[in-house]
Amino acid sequence: SQTIHQWPATLVQPVGSPLSLECTVEGTSNPNLYWYRQAAGRGLQLLFYSVGIGQISSEVPQNLSASRPQDRQFILSSKKLLLSDSGFYLCAWSVFNGGYNEQFFGPGTRLTVL
Amino acid sequence: AQTVTQSQPEMSVQEAETVTLSCTYDTSESDYYLFWYKQPPSRQMILVIRQEAYKQQNATENRFSVNFQKAAKSFSLKISDSQLGDAAMYFCAYPEGSGNTPLVFGKGTRLSVIA
């Protein structure tokens, strides 16, 4: 069966510090991978998605970047965090079966920027 | 741009009663899938139910069912015999476009269940 891991679970960082959040998927090959941000317990904002190694699509211009160094690894980074980067970050994966792209989510990372 | 609207930011229901959460969307696609996800206080997103647009029959998963009206672009979620564990945020979602594209999520409805 497939599993998705995210770490760390919580993170408190000062403004201006770097960020690295990691997501890995097990039990599937060549998945689509996604990073979402959820602010104040509300809607999900798609930040990045990737359909393969080295293929990253950015949905929102911001202070963040993403990389996919391996097939089942997706990393969210920042060189200098802003207060507005605080939120709950969710990683997700899917495998398009020709019909739909049901997404499966990781447990999330709560990021607080002080 | 594709949009999905959940017009009820918050709802409440008495335990054992039925509640319906609404969702409308805007797409130019003719065949697509629609999803409802649940996010309990743990914040783990869980798929509740999936509906294929070309199927006339509404999807059902135990106490959860949908009322899908394709012409009206409406996709509501009905929860029967509500339980305390149903308290959560519920998100409606559908594909950004045709083929291998991400899902677009609504802003969510927070459901409270009253004992």
Side-chain angles (χ1 to χ4, degrees), chain B residues 51-66:
Chain B
Q51 171 77 45
E52 189 166 5
Y54 77 81
K55 285 189 175 177
Q56 301 277 353
Q57 187 174 7
N58 289 323
T60 299
E61 288 286 343
N62 300 313
R63 298 181 295 106
F64 298 87
S65 61
V66 302

Side-chain angles (χ1 to χ4, degrees), chain A residues 4-6 21-25 30-37 44-52 55-59 65-68 71-76 88-97 100-108, chain B residues 35 37 94-97 99-105:
Chain A
I4 178 169
H5 304 278
Q6 272 188 257
L21 303 182
E22 190 165 341
C23 171
T24 59
V25 179
N30 196 31
N32 298 320
L33 296 171
Y34 311 86
W35 278 112
Y36 288 89
R37 177 167 58 200
L44 280 74
Q45 179 187 34
L46 179 63
L47 301 175
F48 301 94
Y49 74 97
S50 171
V51 298
Q55 301 177 63
I56 310 289
S57 296
S58 174
E59 293 290 302
S65 62
S67 62
R68 184 170 177 170
D71 181 44
R72 290 168 289 176
Q73 183 185 30
F74 206 24
I75 297 172
L76 183 69
F88 189 66
Y89 289 81
L90 284 159
C91 180
W93 70 272
S94 70
V95 174
F96 184 61
N97 65 1
Y100 59 86
N101 236 341
E102 179 179 329
Q103 293 180 192
F104 301 89
F105 288 82
Chain B
F35 304 86
Y37 281 84
Y94 79 110
E96 191 176 81
N100 190 14
T101 57
L103 298 181
V104 176
F105 287 82

Side-chain angles (χ1 to χ4, degrees), chain B residues 26-60:
Chain B
D26 181 21
T27 182
S28 56
E29 303 296 328
S30 59
D31 191 19
Y32 46 91
Y33 283 76
L34 297 158
F35 304 86
W36 276 98
Y37 281 84
K38 170 185 178 181
Q39 188 181 39
S42 67
R43 305 196 80 170
Q44 174 71 59
M45 292 280 285
I46 305 163
L47 179 71
V48 174
I49 201 164
R50 177 179 62 237
Q51 171 77 45
E52 189 166 5
Y54 77 81
K55 285 189 175 177
Q56 301 277 353
Q57 187 174 7
N58 289 323
T60 299

Side-chain angles (χ1 to χ4, degrees), chain B residues 5-8 11 20-24 36 75-77 92 109:
Chain B
T5 302
Q6 293 182 249
S7 59
Q8 307 147 316
M11 292 195 72
T20 299
L21 310 183
S22 66
C23 173
T24 58
W36 276 98
F75 179 55
S76 59
L77 175 69
C92 174
T109 295

